[in-house]
Amino acid sequence: VHEPFVVMDMRSVSLQFAHFVQDDDWRHASRNIVSHSFVRRLTLPFGSGIAHLYRHSYLGYGLMEARAKGVELLPGVGGESNEATTPAPHPCLPTGELVSIRRGDKELRAVGELQPRQCEALAEQLLQLDRPCGAELHETSGRCTFNGVWAAPSTGQHVALVSYFFDRIADAGVIHQRSRSAEVTPADFSDAAARFCADPHVASSDLVPELAAWMCFDLMYLAVLLQKGMALEPKQSVTVVKTISYNNRSFEASWALGLAIERLAG
């Protein structure tokens, strides 16, 4: 396996997470009982050996799902119908901005009351960062990410961020909208979140209103997920890419293993 990537693919409903597990890492990680629920043993083509692939779908942690769940967590919303009540104050929306999200037979309503620190706290609450993952952890056996999910070691692998990661950092003006891929850092997400949460009307003047209203929340959620959920260093170089392609074919995150994606964007 040459130049494997850790791939995080942020979709509407889920986050897809996949990476190759080095043989030495697997020897340590396999001591944890939980590891066998996440790591698959694969036979590589052309008789080139055996490899291990970590893969997990964080269902319910996609960006659109996070928006809805974030409104549900606001005081006064909960599990009740929000049809006829006063909209709940939302710390990640521009002050006075009214939003409505249909969730099943409920309409969730919120009004912006922008408070960046409380917005960050809401993102942390959504991710359930303190939930244990049921594994006995040491330096080489992996780590807990968020929502009680264990992740295998990914020693020396570059990180590729796909889909909404690309869209939002491009919407924030950090990279060009027409780029196919770009090198950024997790700090770029938190810096962009700080900018949109400080003065959303100025920062989002070139965006359509529906998107502009959610930019503070979206960027804050992605920034907290990367740095506190996935424990990436603020200045760590990562690649954002619209889709993963290789030899003119598109692939999902689970195909990070074995593709040798040195030409990540095609």
Side-chain angles (χ1 to χ4, degrees):
V1 177
H2 302 286
E3 300 183 36
F5 277 74
V6 175
V7 178
M8 301 183 200
D9 187 353
M10 176 60 72
R11 303 179 185 180
S12 293
V13 176
S14 67
L15 170 70
Q16 302 294 319
F17 182 37
H19 66 81
F20 170 68
V21 183
Q22 304 281 0
D23 290 342
D24 287 343
D25 286 338
W26 176 241
R27 276 191 285 271
H28 293 292
S30 62
R31 300 170 188 169
N32 290 322
I33 295 176
V34 297
S35 66
H36 297 273
S37 300
F38 296 94
V39 178
R40 293 177 57 196
R41 184 175 183 268
L42 302 177
T43 301
L44 298 176
F46 310 115
S48 53
I50 300 296
H52 292 89
L53 174 68
Y54 174 94
R55 184 185 182 190
H56 183 66
S57 175
Y58 290 83
L59 187 63
Y61 288 89
L63 191 59
M64 299 301 109
E65 187 73 4
R67 287 183 182 181
K69 289 167 67 175
V71 175
E72 285 184 317
L73 288 175
L74 299 176
V77 180
E80 301 298 324
S81 174
N82 197 224
E83 301 269 359
T85 63
T86 301
H90 197 306
C92 305
L93 297 177
T95 299
E97 184 79 31
L98 287 166
V99 300
S100 177
I101 296 177
R102 176 61 62 176
R103 192 157 172 83
D105 60 352
K106 296 185 299 180
E107 183 183 19
L108 308 177
R109 300 167 64 233
V111 61
E113 192 175 288
L114 192 60
Q115 300 180 69
R117 289 187 181 273
Q118 284 75 9
C119 181
E120 183 176 5
L122 177 61
E124 293 173 354
Q125 184 181 1
L126 279 167
L127 293 170
Q128 302 186 74
L129 296 173
D130 296 329
R131 186 173 176 183
C133 60
E136 294 183 10
L137 301 177
H138 51 83
E139 186 176 353
T140 58
S141 64
R143 56 184 170 77
C144 292
T145 57
F146 60 91
N147 189 37
V149 174
W150 172 84
S154 54
T155 304
Q157 296 181 55
H158 191 68
V159 175
L161 306 177
V162 189
S163 301
Y164 275 121
F165 287 113
F166 178 94
D167 292 340
R168 287 301 173 267
I169 207 68
D171 293 331
V174 177
I175 65 172
H176 198 282
Q177 286 279 3
R178 294 184 180 180
S179 300
R180 301 185 68 184
S181 67
E183 293 298 309
V184 299
T185 68
D188 287 324
F189 285 88
S190 52
D191 290 346
R195 179 160 48 90
F196 277 84
C197 293
D199 195 346
H201 295 295
V202 173
S204 59
S205 59
D206 294 332
L207 301 175
V208 296
E210 294 80 5
L211 173 58
W214 285 103
M215 283 295 288
C216 170
F217 174 86
D218 289 358
L219 289 164
M220 185 69 76
Y221 179 71
L222 298 176
V224 172
L225 186 151
L226 290 173
Q227 295 185 55
K228 296 185 178 181
M230 294 301 189
L232 300 186
E233 293 295 327
K235 295 299 183 181
Q236 178 177 339
S237 178
V238 298
T239 301
V240 288
V241 60
K242 185 71 175 178
T243 57
I244 300 171
S245 59
Y246 186 74
N247 288 343
N248 297 317
R249 296 178 60 192
S250 295
F251 295 90
E252 295 182 351
S254 60
W255 289 98
L257 175 63
L259 291 179
I261 320 175
E262 63 267 14
R263 292 176 289 177
L264 187 63

